[in-house]
Amino acid sequence: MNNNNYCVIMSGGIGSRFWPFSREAKPKQFLDFFGTGRSLLQLTVDRFKKILPIENIYIVTNEAYAELTKQEIPELKSSQVLLEPLRRNTAPCIAYAAYHIKKMNPDANIVVAPADHLILKEDEFASVIKQALEFVSRNPILLTLGIKPNRPETGYGYIQIDEDKVDGINKVKVFTEKPNYELAKIFYESGEFLWNSGLFIWNVDTILRAFHDYLPEISNVFDQGVDIYCTPEEQGFINEQYAYCPNISIDYGIMEKASNVCVLGADFGWSDLGTWGSLHDISEKDEEANVTLKCETMFFDSSENIVAMPEGKLAVIQGLHDYIVAESDGILLICKKSDEQSIKQFVADTKLKYNDRYI
């Protein structure tokens, strides 16, 4: 294994779109959705342990999940869990990890991955990541992985491929946020677009240069700590300075603006598991396209549903079509799958009425 290769796993989100299974005390990255005995975070670490040294794996998470993260991944040292005092989206999270790793190894190549993605083809994934790390070690490129679409999906961002290439890999022409169905259909049928996987690979110097060029309001914050990273004073510095970072994503802050961005197309059975609908798409279904997670179910005149309840419970469903039925810790959610974008509003309204009791 190449000791210059590192992985940063972003694990600080709440996952409110998976409420009531995902709660503030235990968000979706810490949940075992498929009954495998491994949470999404554990599966992500397992995946990267096969590709690079485990001592080179870092998890960035909210300070509220420090102990939970250490319980889930006991093989990591405390110094490999970087704690954010508050949520500031992906750009500050990635910058923090890059500055820390730069202090550890100025020659580092870094792959950045969310903690809650599903990868079905592990061997293909490992091969693509190794190729990507080798590429960025030779080229000052911000590389993202694109997934060949198999349907006009409106829940993902899209990347248009440019004909120009760097060392055999296509440059990016344009990023497009989640399109409506008509536009997604055009993207899908054109063959020029890939889904944006949210997986990034770069050399540490390349990404830090990009922060200085495109997000100086973030690099100015972290530049103040160059003599503090990897010392006992680091956490205090982060706790004091992190609030000065703007709340901005790496896509919007850097990837959509930079000219040195390439995309490597891949097919390794990827899903970002962002919604109940995406979970339904990749799960095993009965003859009426119903999905059952963990519990037992009996369906009558019902189709296209996803039912998720604790083990040992039975759900009897009659006359429901395209619904989410999810029960966890005293909360029952029954919601049309086509309206699942409303779940975030359900959470907000519940918090307004009941404070944090059910959040």
Side-chain angles (χ1 to χ4, degrees), residues 7-299:
C7 175
V8 173
I9 299 172
M10 299 182 291
S11 182
I14 299 175
S16 59
R17 286 179 295 180
F18 272 110
W19 185 81
F21 260 43
S22 181
R23 310 278 279 273
E24 282 196 7
K26 196 171 186 179
K28 69 172 180 174
Q29 61 268 31
F30 300 107
L31 301 179
D32 172 14
F33 278 96
F34 304 102
T36 62
R38 304 292 282 172
S39 69
L40 295 177
L41 175 59
Q42 288 172 326
L43 291 173
T44 303
V45 172
D46 293 345
R47 195 174 301 134
F48 282 103
K49 281 195 300 189
K50 302 171 186 174
I51 301 171
L52 43 83
I54 190 166
E55 59 269 21
N56 289 8
I57 296 176
Y58 284 81
I59 296 173
V60 185
T61 190
N62 188 273
E63 62 184 10
Y65 307 133
E67 288 308 313
L68 190 53
T69 300
K70 291 168 188 175
Q71 291 169 17
E72 289 258 311
I73 318 292
E75 60 265 48
L76 294 193
K77 299 175 183 175
S78 294
S79 59
Q80 290 172 261
V81 180
L82 305 182
L83 301 177
E84 301 174 289
L86 66 168
R87 294 178 178 89
R88 279 293 185 266
N89 215 315
T90 54
C93 161
I94 289 169
Y96 176 22
Y99 274 86
H100 181 95
I101 291 171
K102 169 75 173 179
K103 185 69 173 290
M104 297 282 294
N105 184 344
D107 299 317
N109 309 302
I110 302 171
V111 52
V112 178
D116 53 4
H117 285 187
L118 179 69
I119 306 295
L120 297 177
K121 304 174 185 175
E122 298 270 350
D123 291 341
E124 287 90 334
F125 178 78
S127 177
V128 169
I129 295 297
K130 289 173 184 176
Q131 178 189 354
L133 287 165
E134 176 63 25
F135 172 80
V136 299
S137 72
R138 302 190 311 267
N139 299 283
I141 293 293
L142 302 170
L143 182 63
T144 185
L145 299 187
I147 308 299
K148 186 177 180 179
N150 56 23
R151 62 186 184 276
E153 172 63 53
T154 60
Y156 299 151
Y158 284 73
I159 302 170
Q160 187 174 18
I161 304 167
D162 198 304
E163 292 181 1
D164 291 343
K165 296 184 178 182
V166 176
D167 204 2
I169 294 181
N170 293 85
K171 296 193 75 173
V172 168
K173 185 176 288 186
V174 67
F175 287 87
T176 302
E177 293 299 314
K178 299 172 184 177
N180 59 31
Y181 180 79
E182 290 73 21
L183 196 53
K185 193 169 185 290
I186 293 170
F187 288 173
Y188 172 61
E189 292 175 350
S190 75
E192 297 179 7
F193 289 81
L194 299 170
W195 286 336
N196 186 351
S197 71
L199 288 152
F200 307 103
I201 306 94
W202 39 56
N203 179 269
V204 68
D205 284 338
T206 307
I207 187 60
L208 290 182
R209 194 175 304 117
F211 272 105
H212 283 95
D213 289 344
Y214 302 104
L215 285 175
E217 58 269 45
I218 289 180
S219 60
N220 288 342
V221 170
F222 289 103
D223 280 344
Q224 299 175 57
V226 289
D227 296 324
I228 298 173
Y229 301 117
C230 306
T231 73
E233 287 74 46
E234 176 178 313
Q235 192 63 59
F237 169 79
I238 293 297
N239 290 347
E240 183 178 306
Q241 297 296 323
Y242 213 75
Y244 294 106
C245 292
N247 188 331
I248 189 169
S249 72
I250 196 73
D251 298 82
Y252 183 74
I254 289 179
M255 301 301 285
E256 294 179 13
K257 298 174 182 176
S259 58
N260 60 329
V261 180
C262 286
V263 58
L264 176 58
D267 175 16
F268 39 69
W270 169 89
S271 173
D272 77 343
L273 290 186
T275 62
W276 285 109
S278 65
L279 189 56
H280 178 273
D281 289 342
I282 57 91
S283 298
E284 185 177 339
K285 302 170 183 65
D286 68 12
E287 60 275 10
E288 298 297 331
N290 295 301
V291 169
T292 300
L293 297 178
K294 294 195 172 185
C295 61
E296 303 292 339
T297 51
M298 294 178 65
F299 290 103

